[in-house]
Amino acid sequence: TEPMENRASHARLAQLHRLEKEGKASPEESKLYEGLMKKAQEGVIKTAQVLLMTASQCGVKKITTRKFETVAVDEASQITELAMFPVLGLQTESIVLVGDHKQLAPRQDLPLAQQMKLDSLFQRLREKELKDSSLMLTDVFRMSEQAGRWHNEAIYEGKLENWHNTEARNAKMRETNIMRDPHIPVAIVEVNDGVENTPPNSFSKRNSAEVSMAVKVAKRVIKEARGVFTASSIAVIALYAAQEEELKATFAEHKELQGVVIGTVDSWQ
């Protein structure tokens, strides 16, 4: 980048970064590292065509002094109106909010925020000020029409259409014969002997019985699919971070399950 003088500066920064990470940098090296890192950051912010950041990072002085042609906010429906202020303060003539207020609402971690019940700016604009001029995307790519019929009628007022890849998915289901009805690829597995517990120094929850069941289901899908579906075709979604951690640790013990994607509901948004 422009403020970085030459390749030697880049190499020195990389070396100092390793020392800092390992806790081996001297006070002088730490000071030099901070200076070189500051220059590198300034160079990236000044010259990069695209910058990726969180809403709160938009309030950093180095960001607020730069002009942007367009600002796009992903998952805007999960950001409270107050938290959107740093984004609205950016020097730009165009801000595009992308989200779905029918899904997860903004998190309200603090008691005061919970009392105020703050909505997102996205929801207010979509339902009130810009109700007639906002755009709703209606094409569906990730859910079969049969599985999403209830969501469409109960949540999206029947506006979803153009269900892509539905026939291709149904064909795979018919080929593998892993579902009782390939046209309705949904199965509910009840775990009666599971007990939730909280890990030490945590407020999250986990359930070992459900983890064991997830392993059994994933193995059966891979076995019955006979190569049509592999481990990388499977995703496991957990409600709690502690459950996600136990799932990852347990799945890592099974070689045939390497490649299964595991995450929380929030991470999949």
Side-chain angles (χ1 to χ4, degrees):
T1 57
E2 191 175 297
M4 294 293 290
E5 296 177 356
N6 48 45
R7 293 183 179 180
S9 296
H10 286 274
R12 182 58 172 155
L13 177 59
Q15 180 186 41
L16 292 172
H17 181 72
R18 286 193 295 270
L19 292 174
E20 281 287 320
K21 190 175 182 179
E22 297 170 357
K24 298 179 181 179
S26 67
E28 292 78 14
E29 288 173 326
S30 293
K31 185 175 182 180
L32 177 59
Y33 171 74
E34 291 177 3
L36 290 176
M37 180 59 76
K38 182 179 179 180
K39 287 184 178 180
Q41 291 173 343
E42 290 173 347
V44 170
I45 293 172
K46 182 179 179 180
T47 61
Q49 292 185 325
V50 179
L51 291 177
L52 304 178
M53 69 197 78
T54 63
S56 59
Q57 289 173 332
C58 291
V60 176
K61 184 177 180 181
K62 297 173 185 176
I63 302 297
T64 59
T65 55
R66 175 176 169 169
K67 293 183 179 180
F68 297 92
E69 182 176 334
T70 302
V71 173
V73 184
D74 190 26
E75 299 294 356
S77 58
Q78 295 186 44
I79 306 174
T80 65
E81 192 154 350
L82 289 176
M84 189 68 76
F85 280 8
V87 179
L88 300 178
L90 294 176
Q91 298 186 57
T92 181
E93 295 182 0
S94 175
I95 297 180
V96 180
L97 304 183
V98 181
D100 184 354
H101 62 292
K102 299 294 182 69
Q103 295 189 31
L104 291 179
R107 289 185 57 175
Q108 313 287 359
D109 295 326
L110 299 177
L112 178 60
Q114 294 172 3
Q115 293 175 13
M116 295 177 68
K117 298 180 180 179
L118 298 174
D119 290 327
S120 65
L121 175 65
F122 179 96
Q123 181 173 353
R124 180 166 68 83
L125 295 178
R126 178 78 176 100
E127 293 184 341
K128 298 177 182 178
E129 278 79 356
L130 299 179
K131 182 178 181 180
D132 297 326
S133 58
S134 59
L135 175 66
M136 177 179 176
L137 304 180
T138 58
D139 284 35
V140 181
F141 294 89
R142 293 188 295 178
M143 188 185 304
S144 69
E145 184 174 1
Q146 293 79 9
R149 188 174 292 130
W150 180 87
H151 298 81
N152 189 21
E153 296 178 1
I155 300 175
Y156 295 104
E157 302 172 352
K159 295 179 180 179
L160 300 182
E161 56 188 14
N162 299 327
W163 301 76
H164 297 266
N165 303 322
T166 296
E167 182 52 39
R169 286 197 192 94
N170 290 343
K172 283 189 174 183
M173 288 297 174
R174 289 192 293 271
E175 181 181 351
T176 58
N177 197 33
I178 59 176
M179 305 297 291
R180 291 181 179 177
D181 185 345
H183 295 285
I184 306 178
V186 177
I188 298 176
V189 181
E190 190 170 0
V191 182
N192 295 315
D193 56 346
V195 178
E196 282 190 348
N197 62 78
T198 301
N201 304 316
S202 173
F203 295 101
S204 191
K205 301 286 185 180
R206 62 187 179 189
N207 188 316
S208 297
E210 291 180 356
V211 171
S212 298
M213 181 58 72
V215 169
K216 292 178 181 178
V217 170
K219 284 186 175 182
R220 182 173 177 180
V221 168
I222 293 173
K223 180 181 178 180
E224 298 292 335
R226 300 183 298 278
V228 177
F229 294 120
T230 62
S232 60
S233 305
I234 299 173
V236 180
I237 304 176
L239 289 178
Y240 303 107
Q243 186 77 347
E244 175 192 20
E245 292 176 5
E246 184 153 339
L247 282 164
K248 287 182 176 179
T250 304
F251 271 64
E253 298 172 357
H254 302 269
K255 185 177 180 180
E256 65 270 43
L257 298 181
Q258 304 305 303
V260 173
V261 181
I262 300 171
T264 61
V265 174
D266 283 353
S267 67
W268 278 92
Q269 288 298 306

